[in-house]
Amino acid sequence: MNANQFGEGSGNQFTVRGCSGTEKSIESCTVSSASSPCGSHSKDVSIICKPINNVRLVNGSSPKDGLVEIYYFDRWITICDSTVSVNTARAICSTLGYKQKYAEAFKIYNDSSTTRQQQKHMFNLDCTGNENHINECRNSVESHSCTDSSVLGVSCETRVRLMNTTSNMARGRLEVHYNGNWGTMCFDDFDVKEAKVICQMLGFENRHATIIRGNSGGIPFIKDNLECTGEEDDISLCTFKGWTSNQCSNTSAVWIDCRIPVRLFGGNMITDGRLELMIDEKWKSLCYTNFTEKEATVACRSLGYTFTSPEIQTASQYGLSRNKNVIDYIIRCSGFEEFLSECEFEAIDDQFNCSNVDEVAISCSAHIRLQNGVYKNEGRLEIQRNGTWGTVCFDKFDISESRVICSMLGFDNPFPEICTTSCFGHGNLQPIIANLNCTGNEIDVSQCSYNKVQRKCTDILVIYSAVNEYM
Protein backbone atom coordinates (compact mmCIF):
# COMPACT_ATOMS: atom_id res chain seq x y z
CA MET A 1 0.00 0.00 0.00
CA ASN A 2 1.26 3.48 -0.83
CA ALA A 3 2.06 6.04 1.83
CA ASN A 4 -0.40 8.86 2.35
CA GLN A 5 -3.14 6.88 0.49
CA PHE A 6 -5.83 8.41 2.66
CA GLY A 7 -4.41 11.95 2.74
CA GLU A 8 -1.92 13.75 4.98
CA GLY A 9 -2.40 13.80 8.67
CA SER A 10 -1.58 16.57 11.13
CA GLY A 11 0.16 16.96 14.44
CA ASN A 12 3.05 14.89 15.82
CA GLN A 13 4.68 12.01 13.93
CA PHE A 14 6.25 8.85 15.40
CA THR A 15 8.36 6.05 14.05
CA VAL A 16 7.58 2.47 15.03
CA ARG A 17 10.26 -0.21 14.73
CA GLY A 18 11.10 -3.64 16.06
CA CYS A 19 7.66 -5.28 15.93
CA SER A 20 7.70 -9.08 15.66
CA GLY A 21 4.05 -9.23 14.66
CA THR A 22 2.99 -11.03 17.82
CA GLU A 23 2.46 -7.97 20.01
CA LYS A 24 -1.03 -7.23 21.23
CA SER A 25 -0.36 -3.47 21.25
CA ILE A 26 1.87 -1.21 19.13
CA GLU A 27 3.17 0.26 22.38
CA SER A 28 5.08 -3.00 22.88
CA CYS A 29 7.24 -2.13 19.82
CA THR A 30 10.01 0.51 19.71
CA VAL A 31 8.36 3.90 19.28
CA SER A 32 10.43 7.06 18.64
CA SER A 33 9.81 10.15 20.70
CA ALA A 34 10.71 12.65 17.99
CA SER A 35 7.87 15.02 17.22
CA SER A 36 8.40 15.05 13.43
CA PRO A 37 10.88 12.31 12.35
CA CYS A 38 9.59 12.16 8.75
CA GLY A 39 9.94 15.86 8.06
CA SER A 40 6.45 16.13 6.56
CA HIS A 41 3.12 14.34 6.53
CA SER A 42 3.57 13.19 2.93
CA LYS A 43 5.07 9.96 4.26
CA ASP A 44 2.29 9.12 6.70
CA VAL A 45 1.62 5.36 6.86
CA SER A 46 -1.71 4.04 5.55
CA ILE A 47 -3.10 0.70 6.76
CA ILE A 48 -6.08 -1.49 5.84
CA CYS A 49 -7.02 -4.18 8.38
CA LYS A 50 -8.49 -6.93 6.21
CA PRO A 51 -10.94 -9.34 7.82
CA ILE A 52 -10.41 -13.08 7.48
CA ASN A 53 -12.73 -14.02 4.67
CA ASN A 54 -11.27 -17.32 3.54
CA VAL A 55 -11.28 -20.45 5.67
CA ARG A 56 -11.34 -24.03 4.46
CA LEU A 57 -11.22 -27.64 5.65
CA VAL A 58 -8.76 -29.90 3.83
CA ASN A 59 -7.68 -33.56 3.83
CA GLY A 60 -10.94 -34.69 5.42
CA SER A 61 -13.31 -37.54 4.58
CA SER A 62 -15.93 -35.04 3.39
CA PRO A 63 -16.19 -31.29 2.65
CA LYS A 64 -17.49 -30.83 6.17
CA ASP A 65 -14.41 -32.00 8.07
CA GLY A 66 -10.65 -31.80 7.97
CA LEU A 67 -7.62 -29.67 8.76
CA VAL A 68 -8.48 -25.99 9.24
CA GLU A 69 -6.62 -23.53 7.02
CA ILE A 70 -7.02 -19.76 6.86
CA TYR A 71 -5.95 -17.57 3.96
CA TYR A 72 -3.58 -15.06 5.50
CA PHE A 73 -1.31 -12.66 3.54
CA ASP A 74 -1.48 -14.58 0.28
CA ARG A 75 -0.96 -18.03 1.76
CA TRP A 76 -2.97 -20.77 3.47
CA ILE A 77 -1.87 -21.32 7.07
CA THR A 78 -2.94 -23.81 9.72
CA ILE A 79 -4.14 -23.02 13.21
CA CYS A 80 -1.99 -24.13 16.12
CA ASP A 81 -4.65 -24.09 18.79
CA SER A 82 -3.52 -25.13 22.25
CA THR A 83 -7.08 -24.72 23.52
CA VAL A 84 -9.06 -26.86 21.08
CA SER A 85 -12.72 -26.31 21.92
CA VAL A 86 -16.15 -26.86 20.49
CA ASN A 87 -16.70 -23.09 20.56
CA THR A 88 -13.90 -22.62 18.06
CA ALA A 89 -15.35 -25.36 15.88
CA ARG A 90 -18.80 -23.78 16.01
CA ALA A 91 -17.49 -20.43 14.80
CA ILE A 92 -15.56 -22.08 11.95
CA CYS A 93 -18.55 -24.19 10.88
CA SER A 94 -20.78 -21.11 10.94
CA THR A 95 -18.24 -19.22 8.81
CA LEU A 96 -18.37 -22.05 6.25
CA GLY A 97 -22.16 -22.02 6.19
CA TYR A 98 -22.66 -25.26 8.15
CA LYS A 99 -24.79 -25.77 11.23
CA GLN A 100 -23.05 -25.08 14.52
CA LYS A 101 -24.84 -27.82 16.45
CA TYR A 102 -22.82 -30.61 14.79
CA ALA A 103 -19.41 -28.95 15.30
CA GLU A 104 -16.49 -30.89 16.74
CA ALA A 105 -12.90 -29.74 17.24
CA PHE A 106 -9.95 -32.11 17.40
CA LYS A 107 -6.15 -32.06 17.23
CA ILE A 108 -4.28 -33.41 14.23
CA TYR A 109 -0.81 -34.65 15.11
CA ASN A 110 2.22 -35.12 12.88
CA ASP A 111 0.66 -33.38 9.91
CA SER A 112 3.11 -32.51 7.14
CA SER A 113 2.26 -28.82 7.50
CA THR A 114 3.62 -28.79 11.07
CA THR A 115 7.18 -29.20 9.83
CA ARG A 116 7.22 -25.83 8.10
CA GLN A 117 9.34 -23.82 10.48
CA GLN A 118 8.55 -20.19 11.33
CA GLN A 119 5.32 -20.17 9.34
CA LYS A 120 2.85 -17.66 10.67
CA HIS A 121 -0.05 -19.40 12.31
CA MET A 122 -3.17 -18.13 13.98
CA PHE A 123 -2.02 -19.50 17.27
CA ASN A 124 -4.82 -18.37 19.54
CA LEU A 125 -8.42 -18.29 18.39
CA ASP A 126 -10.75 -17.46 21.25
CA CYS A 127 -14.45 -17.91 20.43
CA THR A 128 -17.57 -18.06 22.59
CA GLY A 129 -19.47 -20.32 20.19
CA ASN A 130 -22.12 -17.72 19.42
CA GLU A 131 -20.22 -16.04 16.59
CA ASN A 132 -21.51 -16.16 13.04
CA HIS A 133 -18.00 -15.62 11.64
CA ILE A 134 -14.49 -16.17 13.00
CA ASN A 135 -13.80 -12.43 12.51
CA GLU A 136 -15.93 -11.97 15.62
CA CYS A 137 -13.56 -14.16 17.68
CA ARG A 138 -10.50 -12.83 19.46
CA ASN A 139 -7.30 -13.95 17.79
CA SER A 140 -3.60 -13.32 17.71
CA VAL A 141 -1.03 -14.21 15.07
CA GLU A 142 2.57 -14.97 15.81
CA SER A 143 5.55 -16.61 14.22
CA HIS A 144 5.37 -20.07 15.68
CA SER A 145 6.20 -23.61 14.68
CA CYS A 146 3.62 -26.32 15.38
CA THR A 147 6.29 -29.03 15.41
CA ASP A 148 5.91 -29.65 19.13
CA SER A 149 2.20 -29.04 19.20
CA SER A 150 -0.74 -29.88 16.97
CA VAL A 151 -2.90 -28.23 14.36
CA LEU A 152 -6.63 -27.74 14.57
CA GLY A 153 -9.05 -30.08 12.89
CA VAL A 154 -12.79 -29.44 12.73
CA SER A 155 -15.80 -31.50 11.76
CA CYS A 156 -19.09 -29.76 11.03
CA GLU A 157 -20.98 -33.05 11.21
CA THR A 158 -20.88 -35.99 13.59
CA ARG A 159 -19.04 -38.72 11.74
CA VAL A 160 -20.35 -42.24 12.28
CA ARG A 161 -19.85 -45.51 10.44
CA LEU A 162 -20.70 -49.21 10.67
CA MET A 163 -17.63 -51.43 10.44
CA ASN A 164 -17.42 -55.18 9.81
CA THR A 165 -15.22 -57.75 8.10
CA THR A 166 -17.52 -58.01 5.07
CA SER A 167 -18.91 -55.61 2.50
CA ASN A 168 -22.34 -55.48 4.15
CA MET A 169 -23.25 -51.79 3.94
CA ALA A 170 -26.05 -51.77 6.51
CA ARG A 171 -24.65 -53.82 9.39
CA GLY A 172 -21.61 -53.47 11.60
CA ARG A 173 -19.97 -52.17 14.75
CA LEU A 174 -20.93 -48.58 15.45
CA GLU A 175 -17.94 -46.25 15.39
CA VAL A 176 -17.97 -42.51 16.15
CA HIS A 177 -15.20 -40.04 15.29
CA TYR A 178 -13.97 -37.91 18.16
CA ASN A 179 -10.79 -35.90 18.74
CA GLY A 180 -9.18 -37.21 15.56
CA ASN A 181 -9.82 -40.89 16.32
CA TRP A 182 -12.49 -43.53 15.79
CA GLY A 183 -14.04 -45.27 18.78
CA THR A 184 -17.04 -47.43 19.53
CA MET A 185 -19.88 -47.19 22.06
CA CYS A 186 -21.01 -49.31 24.97
CA PHE A 187 -24.12 -51.45 24.56
CA ASP A 188 -25.46 -50.48 28.01
CA ASP A 189 -28.66 -48.40 27.78
CA PHE A 190 -28.35 -48.25 23.99
CA ASP A 191 -31.64 -49.12 22.32
CA VAL A 192 -33.51 -48.87 19.03
CA LYS A 193 -34.13 -45.10 19.41
CA GLU A 194 -30.41 -44.39 19.26
CA ALA A 195 -29.99 -46.90 16.42
CA LYS A 196 -32.69 -45.11 14.41
CA VAL A 197 -30.77 -41.83 14.64
CA ILE A 198 -27.53 -43.53 13.56
CA CYS A 199 -29.19 -45.22 10.57
CA GLN A 200 -30.85 -41.95 9.58
CA MET A 201 -27.45 -40.23 9.65
CA LEU A 202 -26.05 -42.96 7.38
CA GLY A 203 -28.84 -42.48 4.86
CA PHE A 204 -30.85 -45.61 5.65
CA GLU A 205 -34.57 -45.71 6.32
CA ASN A 206 -34.39 -45.72 10.10
CA ARG A 207 -37.62 -47.48 11.09
CA HIS A 208 -36.05 -50.91 10.58
CA ALA A 209 -32.96 -50.37 12.76
CA THR A 210 -31.94 -53.14 15.15
CA ILE A 211 -29.10 -53.38 17.69
CA ILE A 212 -26.78 -56.25 18.55
CA ARG A 213 -24.22 -56.76 21.34
CA GLY A 214 -20.87 -57.51 19.73
CA ASN A 215 -17.10 -57.35 19.90
CA SER A 216 -15.29 -54.01 20.10
CA GLY A 217 -12.53 -55.10 17.75
CA GLY A 218 -9.97 -53.69 20.15
CA ILE A 219 -10.81 -50.02 19.54
CA PRO A 220 -11.56 -47.77 22.54
CA PHE A 221 -14.99 -46.97 23.93
CA ILE A 222 -15.46 -43.23 23.63
CA LYS A 223 -19.11 -42.47 24.29
CA ASP A 224 -21.36 -43.85 27.00
CA ASN A 225 -25.06 -43.83 27.91
CA LEU A 226 -26.33 -42.08 24.79
CA GLU A 227 -30.00 -41.14 25.11
CA CYS A 228 -32.05 -40.13 22.05
CA THR A 229 -35.75 -39.76 21.37
CA GLY A 230 -35.31 -41.24 17.89
CA GLU A 231 -36.36 -38.02 16.16
CA GLU A 232 -32.96 -36.27 16.17
CA ASP A 233 -31.05 -35.58 12.95
CA ASP A 234 -27.68 -36.14 14.61
CA ILE A 235 -26.51 -37.89 17.78
CA SER A 236 -24.88 -34.62 18.86
CA LEU A 237 -28.43 -33.52 19.73
CA CYS A 238 -28.88 -36.48 22.10
CA THR A 239 -27.73 -36.49 25.72
CA PHE A 240 -24.82 -38.59 26.99
CA LYS A 241 -22.55 -38.85 30.00
CA GLY A 242 -19.26 -38.08 28.35
CA TRP A 243 -16.70 -38.77 25.66
CA THR A 244 -14.74 -41.43 27.51
CA SER A 245 -15.89 -44.77 28.84
CA ASN A 246 -13.76 -47.29 30.71
CA GLN A 247 -16.55 -49.42 32.15
CA CYS A 248 -17.42 -51.61 29.18
CA SER A 249 -16.13 -55.06 28.25
CA ASN A 250 -14.75 -55.84 24.80
CA THR A 251 -17.79 -58.01 24.11
CA SER A 252 -20.32 -55.23 24.82
CA ALA A 253 -19.87 -52.92 21.85
CA VAL A 254 -22.86 -51.63 19.92
CA TRP A 255 -23.52 -53.25 16.54
CA ILE A 256 -26.34 -51.93 14.36
CA ASP A 257 -28.25 -53.38 11.44
CA CYS A 258 -29.89 -50.75 9.26
CA ARG A 259 -32.23 -52.62 6.97
CA ILE A 260 -32.00 -51.61 3.35
CA PRO A 261 -35.55 -50.78 2.15
CA VAL A 262 -36.76 -53.05 -0.66
CA ARG A 263 -39.75 -52.76 -2.97
CA LEU A 264 -41.28 -54.28 -6.09
CA PHE A 265 -42.19 -51.64 -8.67
CA GLY A 266 -44.46 -51.68 -11.70
CA GLY A 267 -45.97 -55.15 -11.33
CA ASN A 268 -49.59 -56.14 -11.84
CA MET A 269 -49.79 -57.12 -8.15
CA ILE A 270 -47.90 -56.01 -5.06
CA THR A 271 -46.18 -59.40 -5.03
CA ASP A 272 -44.32 -58.83 -8.31
CA GLY A 273 -42.40 -56.19 -10.23
CA ARG A 274 -38.94 -54.76 -10.70
CA LEU A 275 -36.78 -55.25 -7.61
CA GLU A 276 -35.54 -51.93 -6.23
CA LEU A 277 -33.42 -51.02 -3.21
CA MET A 278 -33.18 -47.67 -1.44
CA ILE A 279 -29.50 -46.66 -1.69
CA ASP A 280 -28.28 -43.11 -1.01
CA GLU A 281 -31.92 -41.93 -0.71
CA LYS A 282 -32.74 -43.15 -4.24
CA TRP A 283 -34.60 -46.22 -5.46
CA LYS A 284 -32.15 -48.26 -7.54
CA SER A 285 -32.61 -51.45 -9.53
CA LEU A 286 -30.29 -54.43 -10.03
CA CYS A 287 -28.76 -56.04 -13.09
CA TYR A 288 -30.26 -59.36 -14.13
CA THR A 289 -26.77 -60.87 -14.44
CA ASN A 290 -25.66 -63.08 -11.51
CA PHE A 291 -29.05 -62.78 -9.78
CA THR A 292 -30.18 -66.24 -8.63
CA GLU A 293 -33.07 -67.85 -6.80
CA LYS A 294 -31.13 -67.47 -3.53
CA GLU A 295 -31.15 -63.68 -3.83
CA ALA A 296 -34.78 -63.70 -4.97
CA THR A 297 -35.78 -65.80 -1.95
CA VAL A 298 -34.15 -63.34 0.47
CA ALA A 299 -35.65 -60.37 -1.39
CA CYS A 300 -39.14 -61.84 -1.01
CA ARG A 301 -38.46 -62.65 2.63
CA SER A 302 -37.35 -59.04 3.18
CA LEU A 303 -40.74 -57.96 1.84
CA GLY A 304 -42.61 -60.23 4.26
CA TYR A 305 -43.43 -63.07 1.87
CA THR A 306 -42.53 -66.05 3.99
CA PHE A 307 -42.78 -69.38 2.15
CA THR A 308 -42.64 -68.29 -1.42
CA SER A 309 -40.77 -70.00 -4.26
CA PRO A 310 -39.94 -66.83 -6.19
CA GLU A 311 -39.87 -66.57 -9.92
CA ILE A 312 -37.04 -64.52 -11.43
CA GLN A 313 -38.16 -62.32 -14.31
CA THR A 314 -36.94 -59.27 -16.20
CA ALA A 315 -38.28 -55.74 -15.90
CA SER A 316 -39.03 -55.69 -19.63
CA GLN A 317 -41.70 -58.37 -19.04
CA TYR A 318 -43.71 -55.66 -17.28
CA GLY A 319 -43.09 -53.12 -20.02
CA LEU A 320 -40.95 -51.00 -17.72
CA SER A 321 -38.48 -48.55 -19.20
CA ARG A 322 -34.88 -48.60 -18.04
CA ASN A 323 -34.29 -47.22 -14.57
CA LYS A 324 -31.67 -44.47 -14.60
CA ASN A 325 -30.36 -45.63 -11.24
CA VAL A 326 -28.80 -49.10 -11.15
CA ILE A 327 -26.71 -50.09 -8.13
CA ASP A 328 -23.06 -50.82 -8.85
CA TYR A 329 -23.03 -53.95 -6.70
CA ILE A 330 -23.69 -57.63 -7.24
CA ILE A 331 -25.65 -59.10 -4.33
CA ARG A 332 -24.68 -62.58 -3.16
CA CYS A 333 -26.90 -64.41 -0.66
CA SER A 334 -26.83 -67.89 0.85
CA GLY A 335 -30.61 -67.98 0.67
CA PHE A 336 -31.08 -68.21 4.44
CA GLU A 337 -30.75 -64.50 5.30
CA GLU A 338 -33.76 -62.67 6.67
CA PHE A 339 -32.99 -59.40 4.88
CA LEU A 340 -31.04 -58.39 1.78
CA SER A 341 -28.90 -56.14 3.97
CA GLU A 342 -27.40 -59.32 5.48
CA CYS A 343 -26.10 -60.48 2.08
CA GLU A 344 -22.74 -59.59 0.59
CA PHE A 345 -22.55 -56.55 -1.69
CA GLU A 346 -19.72 -57.04 -4.17
CA ALA A 347 -18.62 -54.02 -6.19
CA ILE A 348 -19.08 -54.46 -9.94
CA ASP A 349 -15.85 -54.46 -11.92
CA ASP A 350 -15.24 -51.25 -13.87
CA GLN A 351 -15.19 -53.27 -17.08
CA PHE A 352 -18.66 -54.66 -16.48
CA ASN A 353 -21.31 -52.66 -18.29
CA CYS A 354 -24.81 -53.04 -16.93
CA SER A 355 -26.40 -50.70 -19.46
CA ASN A 356 -27.11 -53.48 -21.97
CA VAL A 357 -28.40 -55.97 -19.42
CA ASP A 358 -32.02 -56.12 -18.37
CA GLU A 359 -32.98 -55.37 -14.78
CA VAL A 360 -34.20 -57.90 -12.26
CA ALA A 361 -37.90 -58.36 -11.63
CA ILE A 362 -39.31 -61.06 -9.36
CA SER A 363 -42.64 -62.55 -8.40
CA CYS A 364 -43.02 -63.35 -4.71
CA SER A 365 -46.50 -64.77 -5.04
CA ALA A 366 -46.98 -68.13 -3.35
CA HIS A 367 -47.64 -71.06 -5.69
CA ILE A 368 -50.86 -72.83 -4.72
CA ARG A 369 -53.24 -75.24 -6.42
CA LEU A 370 -56.39 -77.28 -5.82
CA GLN A 371 -55.99 -80.95 -6.70
CA ASN A 372 -58.30 -83.93 -7.29
CA GLY A 373 -61.52 -81.94 -7.50
CA VAL A 374 -64.26 -82.46 -10.05
CA TYR A 375 -64.27 -78.76 -10.85
CA LYS A 376 -61.36 -76.30 -10.79
CA ASN A 377 -62.90 -74.34 -7.90
CA GLU A 378 -62.52 -77.27 -5.48
CA GLY A 379 -59.93 -79.74 -4.34
CA ARG A 380 -57.14 -80.59 -1.94
CA LEU A 381 -55.00 -77.50 -1.19
CA GLU A 382 -51.35 -77.88 -2.13
CA ILE A 383 -48.69 -75.25 -1.71
CA GLN A 384 -45.09 -74.91 -2.86
CA ARG A 385 -42.40 -74.03 -0.33
CA ASN A 386 -38.70 -73.80 -1.20
CA GLY A 387 -39.38 -75.51 -4.50
CA THR A 388 -41.28 -78.47 -3.00
CA TRP A 389 -45.01 -79.10 -3.25
CA GLY A 390 -46.82 -80.22 -0.10
CA THR A 391 -50.17 -80.13 1.68
CA VAL A 392 -51.54 -77.97 4.51
CA CYS A 393 -52.67 -79.24 7.89
CA PHE A 394 -56.31 -78.61 8.66
CA ASP A 395 -55.77 -77.39 12.25
CA LYS A 396 -56.92 -73.80 12.95
CA PHE A 397 -57.82 -73.23 9.30
CA ASP A 398 -61.05 -71.25 8.96
CA ILE A 399 -62.88 -68.91 6.60
CA SER A 400 -60.25 -66.12 6.84
CA GLU A 401 -57.54 -68.34 5.39
CA SER A 402 -59.86 -69.81 2.74
CA ARG A 403 -60.83 -66.32 1.53
CA VAL A 404 -57.17 -65.47 0.90
CA ILE A 405 -56.63 -68.77 -0.96
CA CYS A 406 -59.71 -68.34 -3.13
CA SER A 407 -58.85 -64.73 -3.94
CA MET A 408 -55.36 -65.77 -5.07
CA LEU A 409 -56.91 -68.39 -7.36
CA GLY A 410 -59.23 -65.81 -8.89
CA PHE A 411 -62.44 -66.93 -7.18
CA ASP A 412 -64.55 -64.30 -5.47
CA ASN A 413 -66.68 -65.92 -2.79
CA PRO A 414 -66.92 -64.42 0.71
CA PHE A 415 -68.11 -67.74 2.17
CA PRO A 416 -66.05 -70.61 0.70
CA GLU A 417 -66.60 -74.08 2.14
CA ILE A 418 -63.83 -76.16 3.67
CA CYS A 419 -63.59 -79.79 4.71
CA THR A 420 -61.01 -82.45 5.60
CA THR A 421 -59.27 -85.26 3.75
CA SER A 422 -62.47 -87.25 3.29
CA CYS A 423 -63.63 -84.89 0.52
CA PHE A 424 -60.81 -85.24 -2.02
CA GLY A 425 -58.38 -87.75 -0.58
CA HIS A 426 -55.04 -87.54 1.19
CA GLY A 427 -52.80 -87.63 -1.87
CA ASN A 428 -49.12 -88.64 -1.97
CA LEU A 429 -47.53 -85.38 -0.79
CA GLN A 430 -46.21 -84.65 2.68
CA PRO A 431 -47.78 -81.87 4.77
CA ILE A 432 -45.37 -78.90 5.00
CA ILE A 433 -47.50 -76.11 6.50
CA ALA A 434 -49.36 -76.07 9.85
CA ASN A 435 -51.30 -73.45 11.79
CA LEU A 436 -51.75 -71.15 8.81
CA ASN A 437 -53.12 -67.90 10.22
CA CYS A 438 -54.50 -65.07 8.06
CA THR A 439 -56.67 -62.05 8.84
CA GLY A 440 -58.54 -62.45 5.54
CA ASN A 441 -57.25 -59.11 4.18
CA GLU A 442 -53.93 -60.39 2.81
CA ILE A 443 -53.25 -60.22 -0.92
CA ASP A 444 -51.10 -63.35 -0.83
CA VAL A 445 -51.05 -66.32 1.53
CA SER A 446 -47.29 -65.88 1.98
CA GLN A 447 -48.12 -62.77 4.01
CA CYS A 448 -49.86 -64.94 6.61
CA SER A 449 -48.10 -66.54 9.56
CA TYR A 450 -47.57 -70.28 9.77
CA ASN A 451 -45.56 -73.06 11.41
CA LYS A 452 -43.46 -75.74 9.84
CA VAL A 453 -44.97 -79.18 10.32
CA GLN A 454 -43.49 -80.80 13.43
CA ARG A 455 -45.81 -83.82 13.53
CA LYS A 456 -47.94 -85.85 11.17
CA CYS A 457 -51.29 -84.28 10.33
CA THR A 458 -54.38 -86.42 10.81
CA ASP A 459 -56.45 -84.23 8.48
CA ILE A 460 -55.43 -82.41 5.30
CA LEU A 461 -57.15 -79.21 4.22
CA VAL A 462 -59.40 -79.22 1.19
CA ILE A 463 -61.64 -76.51 -0.23
CA TYR A 464 -65.03 -77.79 -1.29
CA SER A 465 -66.52 -74.74 -2.96
CA ALA A 466 -64.48 -71.68 -3.83
CA VAL A 467 -67.44 -70.01 -5.56
CA ASN A 468 -71.16 -70.39 -5.37
CA GLU A 469 -71.32 -71.76 -8.90
CA TYR A 470 -69.20 -74.55 -10.33
CA MET A 471 -66.78 -73.36 -12.96
Side-chain angles (χ1 to χ4, degrees), residues 57-62 65-67 69 108 111-113 159:
L57 303 177
V58 299
N59 301 331
S61 58
S62 79
D65 69 83
L67 171 72
E69 290 189 341
I108 299 178
D111 186 86
S112 60
S113 63
R159 288 183 286 170

Side-chain angles (χ1 to χ4, degrees), residues 368-371 375-379 381 401-417 463-471:
I368 59 174
R369 64 191 182 190
L370 298 179
Q371 294 290 96
Y375 302 96
K376 64 180 181 181
N377 67 321
E378 62 184 16
L381 176 62
E401 289 74 36
S402 60
R403 284 174 176 169
V404 177
I405 296 294
C406 292
S407 176
M408 287 183 65
L409 293 169
F411 303 124
D412 184 16
N413 181 9
F415 301 105
E417 300 177 32
I463 295 180
Y464 177 67
S465 179
V467 291
N468 292 326
E469 299 178 3
Y470 291 127
M471 304 295 291

Side-chain angles (χ1 to χ4, degrees), residues 154-171:
V154 164
S155 175
C156 298
E157 61 182 352
T158 304
R159 288 183 286 170
V160 297
R161 65 186 183 186
L162 299 179
M163 296 296 293
N164 56 62
T165 56
T166 71
S167 54
N168 189 331
M169 298 187 298
R171 185 181 188 275

Side-chain angles (χ1 to χ4, degrees), residues 35 39 88 117 130 180 196 235 267 302 335 411 429 432 457:
S35 60
T88 303
Q117 299 294 320
N130 297 318
K196 285 181 177 181
I235 58 170
S302 298
F411 303 124
L429 301 179
I432 58 174
C457 297

Side-chain angles (χ1 to χ4, degrees), residues 225-356:
N225 294 103
L226 184 70
E227 294 184 8
C228 306
T229 65
E231 301 299 323
E232 295 87 352
D233 295 325
D234 191 286
I235 58 170
S236 64
L237 303 179
C238 305
T239 60
F240 65 100
K241 286 187 176 180
W243 276 107
T244 56
S245 176
N246 299 314
Q247 302 179 4
C248 206
S249 70
N250 289 332
T251 58
S252 295
V254 172
W255 284 61
I256 297 178
D257 192 345
C258 300
R259 310 298 189 198
I260 297 177
V262 179
R263 74 177 184 182
L264 297 178
F265 176 79
N268 299 322
M269 300 179 62
I270 65 170
T271 54
D272 53 39
R274 181 172 62 205
L275 178 61
E276 296 184 348
L277 283 65
M278 176 70 79
I279 303 290
D280 297 329
E281 300 183 354
K282 294 181 180 179
W283 286 108
K284 300 185 178 183
S285 53
L286 291 83
C287 285
Y288 185 83
T289 305
N290 297 317
F291 193 87
T292 71
E293 187 175 344
K294 293 179 180 179
E295 288 76 42
T297 298
V298 179
C300 290
R301 192 176 294 135
S302 298
L303 291 163
Y305 303 119
T306 52
F307 51 85
T308 179
S309 293
E311 179 184 351
I312 301 176
Q313 304 167 331
T314 60
S316 60
Q317 291 179 240
Y318 294 96
L320 294 172
S321 60
R322 290 283 297 174
N323 187 0
K324 295 181 180 180
N325 298 305
V326 180
I327 67 171
D328 52 357
Y329 290 91
I330 295 174
I331 301 178
R332 300 191 186 280
C333 305
S334 68
F336 298 101
E337 295 89 351
E338 290 295 323
F339 297 91
L340 275 178
S341 58
E342 298 174 7
C343 301
E344 299 295 326
F345 285 69
E346 179 182 317
I348 295 177
D349 190 276
D350 292 338
Q351 297 179 351
F352 179 78
N353 187 356
C354 194
S355 60
N356 297 322

